[in-house]
Amino acid sequence: MVTTASKAQVIPDDQMLSIEQRLALTRRAMSALRVTQPKGVRRPPGPSRRKIVTSAVAGRIATLDFMGQMFSTKPISYARVGPENLYALSDPDLVWEVFAKLDGSTRRSMALQATRPILGNGILTSEEPEHRRNRTLVQPAFSPKRIATYGDQMVSATQRLSERWRDRVATGDTAILVSEEMSDLTLDIVGRTLFGADLTGDTEEISKALSEVLGRFGQMLSPVGILMMRLPTPARRRLVESVERLDAVVARMIAAKQAQLRAGDQLDDMLAVLIQARDPETGQGLSINELRDEVMTLVLAGHETTANALSWTWLELSRSRDAHAWVAQEWAEVGADRDLCIDDVAKLPRTRAVVAESMRLNPPAWIISRRLSEDITLAGYEIPKGSTLFASQYFMQRDPRFWVDAKAFFPQRWLNDAGDFDEKAPGQPRAAWFPFGFASRRCVGDRFALAEATLALAMLGRSWDVVATAPRDVIAVPAITLRPGNGIPARLRPRFAN
Ligand code: HEM
């Protein structure tokens, strides 16, 4: 258990690292990861050499086409791409073995390491034992009690969006890009729950700097992106400048929050909780640098994922009017004569089922990977340390071996006989459903994201029909998250008296 100090104690007084220092640390961390693999190892079958080379040259390795070949119905497949030895796991037992059972003895992937100049050494990128300590300090900010206190921000941000839509429709402008709208909403929610509503003056600046960093974040994950960070290109300069700007705002936020806490103010935003968190063994809190890294991690991990979950859900409801009618019945009944609040989330099993079904077919985190820190034997193959093992939510959660009518959007599958939402109701094997990952690395924000998505969908859904203009044309683009390719052009139609 983490103890939180009643008054803000003095945080270890270190300086925030500069992005140049983080870049140097990243380079060092990444070169330490290079492992020479033994020769003559027997490998599982996989895509042909020609397919690998043409895909790599075209920059098409992280695509649904190439990865679809890797995640075939074979339990395990192999591809060597450049210096990387990649293994894709399509069998739930193997996925469980590596991602849940071997949890502590696997490491973060090269791609995640490459994000360190932005994310630093927060809980997404850090390795054990630092990860465990950081997670102990961050986790309390996501307890059910804390999430209940963030509910007001979720509700008011959704109301603000609905008001913007009302103003827009009043002028006759009903066209929206769903992804943009959902992205604004989740950025508003994560920004305000993290920093508190009282810092309104800074919100716009944070939003601007964040959008710049978010826009460039994806580029970091490609080999070209990593190379770009070594060269003095204009793109590198722009990224460095936006990260510096964001760092400056976050440093100011931390200082202001610490001053408020010292003055005895009662604050319930996430940053205040993080500042007051103390390691139960050492009594130490997070340093300024660590706070910065966690803040950046939470914004980047929590914003686009939830925005995509919501965007895909609107698309699926546009595609399936039966499912829309089914969930709209719940929206008409729950809290019909009042505003919704966080306590209503438990009363919205159909909405929760619609979100789950959308995340099954279009998982925002579509693939996860681990690097082996020791040799293992898996499915009869010796897999040397340094290899990267993948599991894909996208392929596993659409696999007809584990899901009845796998490609159909059928949210009813998630309700049990009593009509309650139940993750086990579809009867899938335990590692065929992992939208939030596994074990010690399971998403720390899962409850937050589900509360946010359920509330936002029900609140907006009972006032608005969001009708995609060409729902069949939207394709899935696998970037860091699984994005709807064209942003989902849609029309807003008011429902009931709006
Ligand atoms: C629908 C929305 C979301 C999805 C699908 C999602 C998915 C995931 C997945 C799959 C992982 C594990 C990655 C791995 O194993 O390598 C993860 C980790 C993480 N997520 Fe989420 N996430 C969502 C929302 C959020 C939110 C709202 C926050 C915070 C505000 C958040 C913060 C994090 C953090 C900090 C980690 C790293 C945990 C660790 O390594 O200890 N996520 N997320």
Side-chain angles (χ1 to χ4, degrees):
M1 281 284 292
V2 161
T3 50
T4 46
S6 54
K7 276 211 160 187
Q9 293 164 9
V10 180
I11 299 290
D13 75 324
D14 55 354
Q15 294 288 308
M16 199 185 265
L17 291 178
S18 71
I19 178 163
E20 295 298 349
Q21 286 169 311
R22 281 196 299 273
L23 275 163
L25 285 173
T26 306
R27 277 198 287 275
R28 222 170 299 151
M30 289 185 75
S31 51
L33 285 178
R34 281 192 199 104
V35 174
T36 313
Q37 292 241 335
K39 293 217 160 58
V41 178
R42 192 175 68 90
R43 313 281 192 184
S48 66
R49 193 74 219 136
R50 190 160 168 269
K51 173 90 186 166
I52 295 172
V53 172
T54 50
S55 304
V57 169
R60 295 186 54 77
I61 292 292
T63 59
L64 295 178
D65 168 45
F66 184 82
M67 281 300 173
Q69 278 216 359
M70 292 283 288
F71 291 103
S72 59
T73 48
K74 286 185 230 88
I76 180 166
S77 69
Y78 170 79
R80 188 182 165 102
V81 180
E84 292 273 331
N85 289 285
L86 312 180
Y87 293 79
L89 309 178
S90 304
D91 178 283
D93 289 341
L94 297 184
V95 171
W96 187 258
E97 178 77 27
V98 171
F99 286 82
K101 285 207 197 140
L102 287 177
D103 184 35
S105 52
T106 57
R107 298 279 174 269
R108 309 313 277 154
S109 65
M110 279 283 197
L112 264 184
Q113 299 289 350
T115 65
R116 282 170 170 266
I118 295 178
L119 299 184
N121 198 30
I123 61 170
L124 187 64
T125 44
S126 55
E127 302 284 11
E128 303 305 351
E130 277 167 306
H131 170 258
R132 196 168 306 119
R133 174 199 171 250
N134 293 352
R135 179 117 187 176
T136 312
L137 289 165
V138 172
Q139 188 108 33
F142 291 91
S143 68
K145 202 169 127 232
R146 304 269 12 136
I147 288 171
T149 67
Y150 308 142
D152 289 350
Q153 299 289 356
M154 296 176 185
V155 169
S156 58
T158 312
Q159 281 166 340
R160 275 192 297 277
L161 176 64
S162 196
E163 275 154 28
R164 282 201 300 279
W165 283 0
R166 202 166 307 162
D167 292 346
R168 194 171 180 158
V169 169
T171 66
D173 177 9
T174 60
I176 56 164
L177 260 190
V178 177
S179 304
E180 261 176 23
E181 300 295 317
M182 295 303 109
S183 185
D184 285 354
L185 173 65
T186 60
L187 190 56
D188 193 7
I189 291 174
V190 84
R192 284 172 196 264
T193 45
L194 249 171
F195 301 124
D198 50 328
L199 296 154
T200 338
D202 283 310
T203 313
E204 203 175 315
E205 196 179 343
I206 295 174
S207 231
K208 224 168 122 216
L210 258 178
S211 309
E212 282 167 19
V213 172
L214 283 166
R216 303 194 191 289
F217 186 65
Q219 297 162 1
M220 305 278 305
L221 293 171
S222 70
V224 177
I226 296 164
L227 182 68
M228 182 199 93
M229 294 310 291
R230 286 174 169 255
L231 306 172
T233 57
R236 180 192 197 274
R237 203 190 58 240
R238 279 196 301 275
L239 179 67
V240 167
E241 280 169 8
S242 4
V243 175
E244 279 172 348
R245 247 197 321 279
L246 200 50
D247 280 353
V249 180
V250 173
R252 210 170 59 240
M253 292 282 196
I254 294 171
K257 201 83 13 197
Q258 283 176 324
Q260 281 177 293
L261 288 166
R262 278 195 210 99
D265 288 4
Q266 294 296 315
L267 304 173
D268 56 11
D269 54 82
M270 246 186 248
L271 181 55
V273 177
L274 292 179
I275 291 175
Q276 295 175 91
R278 294 290 174 271
D279 185 317
E281 280 164 27
T282 63
Q284 275 210 330
L286 292 161
S287 69
I288 304 286
N289 207 39
E290 288 167 333
L291 280 169
R292 178 259 170 226
D293 290 352
E294 299 306 353
V295 164
M296 214 65 108
T297 300
L298 294 175
V299 175
L300 283 155
H303 159 243
E304 192 179 291
T305 40
T306 320
N308 281 341
L310 277 164
S311 302
W312 284 114
T313 307
W314 291 119
L315 179 71
E316 293 296 355
L317 290 178
S318 274
R319 284 175 174 164
S320 168
R321 297 315 281 171
D322 285 353
H324 185 271
W326 179 75
V327 71
Q329 205 179 327
E330 182 172 87
W331 297 338
E333 282 164 12
V334 177
D337 51 349
R338 57 171 174 82
D339 289 338
L340 291 183
C341 65
I342 192 87
D343 292 340
D344 291 319
V345 170
K347 299 174 200 150
L348 294 162
R350 290 189 180 190
T351 315
R352 179 71 184 78
V354 163
V355 173
E357 185 67 345
S358 165
M359 285 178 51
R360 180 181 73 81
L361 289 171
N362 315 288
W366 70 282
I367 194 163
I368 50 175
S369 62
R370 297 287 184 272
R371 280 173 69 81
L372 290 183
S373 57
E374 52 197 50
D375 300 344
I376 61 165
T377 303
L378 201 64
Y381 294 98
E382 306 284 322
I383 307 192
K385 71 174 176 195
S387 305
T388 302
L389 276 65
F390 289 93
S392 169
Q393 290 91 333
Y394 183 84
F395 293 105
M396 197 70 100
Q397 293 170 190
R398 290 173 161 250
D399 193 322
R401 290 176 297 166
F402 315 124
W403 303 88
V404 176
D405 214 353
K407 299 278 161 29
F409 184 78
F410 184 62
Q412 290 84 344
R413 74 175 83 228
W414 296 98
L415 298 192
N416 61 21
D417 293 343
D420 297 324
F421 176 82
D422 180 354
E423 279 207 321
K424 295 195 176 129
Q428 75 281 15
R430 61 184 168 184
W433 167 245
F434 51 101
F436 292 105
F438 294 99
S440 74
R441 291 292 186 167
R442 187 182 159 92
C443 178
V444 79
D446 55 355
R447 275 191 293 241
F448 181 102
L450 290 171
E452 178 183 10
T454 308
L455 256 184
L457 190 68
M459 283 179 68
L460 293 172
R462 63 186 200 170
S463 300
W464 299 97
D465 257 354
V466 179
V467 187
T469 39
R472 307 279 149 204
D473 291 353
V474 183
I475 52 157
V477 175
I480 314 168
T481 56
L482 192 74
R483 294 186 182 144
N486 59 1
I488 317 180
R491 295 243 167 243
L492 288 173
R493 279 201 214 129
R495 285 166 62 84
F496 317 126
N498 193 27

